[in-house]
Amino acid sequence: MKQKARRKRTDHLAKILPPTVRFWTGISLIPGYFLVDQILQKFILVILFAFIAKQAGKKIRYMYFTMMILSITVFHLLSPMGRLLMEIGPFKITSGALETGFLKGITLGGLVFLSLFSVTPSLKLPGRLGGLLAHMFYYFEEILDGRKRVKASDFIGSLDTILMDIFPPSDTAAPEEAAPSEEESTRSYPFMIPYILLMEFLVWGAVFWAFRG
């Protein structure tokens, strides 16, 4: 049975940032994002990254990321640390484990949102290694964005189905890099610098504020 085509979402950022600049902008934000260790500030940045990923035309599966954050938090509760908040039978909930688990959970979620913002199908990096990295990031995005998800009850089968959708059996060769069109090569991006400066200010400003406090 032929699968229904997936509805294409509009990439609003394509008019602001060219693909390569968007990629390196995302890369430059990662160190600052890691340096932010306050939960509220990092949570605000996660919301920001989710917003720009949506503006980039990416689908955000909020329930998937909520469950991921909850599972990481619960896992860290198994190693109690800090002030005891409550006990449920033998299970102890401590402030240190709760904060550490939640912080790591939202950190991972923010990184995924940032990667969704940074990578586009038209991304081209110089050299063979650059091309390999661009394809790897793109396939990672396709797996996250796929309509079918990996199922715990049929992990191998569901993963195989997703990979078959991305790599059809007839597609034996590596994806070819299309040359940029004349419109892409001559297009101007008047809002590119202000947009990049705003993103850098929001992330690195949070780092400065955290160290200042």
Side-chain angles (χ1 to χ4, degrees):
M1 182 181 295
K2 191 175 181 179
Q3 294 182 349
K4 185 183 292 185
R6 190 170 46 184
R7 185 171 64 88
K8 187 176 181 179
R9 293 177 288 274
T10 304
D11 182 358
H12 299 286
L13 297 184
K15 299 178 181 179
I16 301 176
L17 297 172
T20 305
V21 173
R22 187 192 303 189
F23 175 78
W24 289 115
T25 299
I27 293 296
S28 71
L29 297 176
I30 292 177
Y33 177 64
F34 270 116
L35 288 173
V36 176
D37 58 358
Q38 297 184 14
I39 291 180
L40 179 58
Q41 292 180 348
K42 179 150 285 187
F43 187 70
I44 292 174
L45 290 179
V46 170
I47 294 175
L48 171 66
F49 294 161
F51 174 75
I52 61 176
K54 289 283 289 184
Q55 292 300 303
K58 307 301 173 61
K59 183 175 181 179
I60 306 297
R61 299 179 180 273
Y62 296 102
M63 183 57 66
Y64 170 79
F65 287 103
T66 299
M67 294 303 299
M68 180 188 70
I69 292 172
L70 287 177
S71 62
I72 293 175
T73 303
V74 170
F75 178 79
H76 277 78
L77 289 177
L78 299 178
S79 301
M81 66 175 72
R83 182 166 56 91
L84 180 65
L85 300 177
M86 67 173 64
E87 288 187 68
I88 305 175
F91 189 66
K92 297 180 180 180
I93 300 179
T94 58
S95 59
L98 185 63
E99 292 175 2
T100 301
F102 185 71
L103 184 62
K104 289 185 178 181
I106 61 175
T107 297
L108 180 58
L111 284 175
V112 175
F113 294 150
L114 193 56
S115 72
L116 292 176
F117 153 77
S118 304
V119 179
T120 66
S122 55
L123 174 65
K124 299 175 184 64
L125 298 176
R128 292 182 61 87
L129 179 59
L132 178 62
L133 287 175
H135 288 135
M136 180 183 70
F137 280 116
Y138 174 66
Y139 294 141
F140 172 69
E141 174 201 331
E142 285 293 299
I143 291 174
L144 285 177
D145 194 42
R147 290 189 303 160
K148 296 183 178 180
R149 312 309 304 162
V150 176
K151 301 177 182 178
S153 57
D154 184 22
F155 180 81
I156 300 299
S158 58
L159 182 61
D160 181 65
T161 301
I162 294 173
L163 293 176
M164 288 289 287
D165 289 340
I166 300 174
F167 307 103
S170 58
D171 186 14
T172 55
E176 294 183 1
E177 296 184 2
S181 64
E182 183 178 349
E183 179 185 359
E184 290 177 335
S185 59
T186 59
R187 180 189 300 172
S188 62
Y189 298 88
F191 298 104
M192 179 176 69
I193 299 300
Y195 192 92
I196 294 174
L197 291 177
L198 176 61
M199 293 296 299
E200 299 288 351
F201 172 77
L202 291 174
V203 175
W204 289 99
V207 175
F208 174 77
W209 185 268
F211 279 100
R212 178 175 176 270

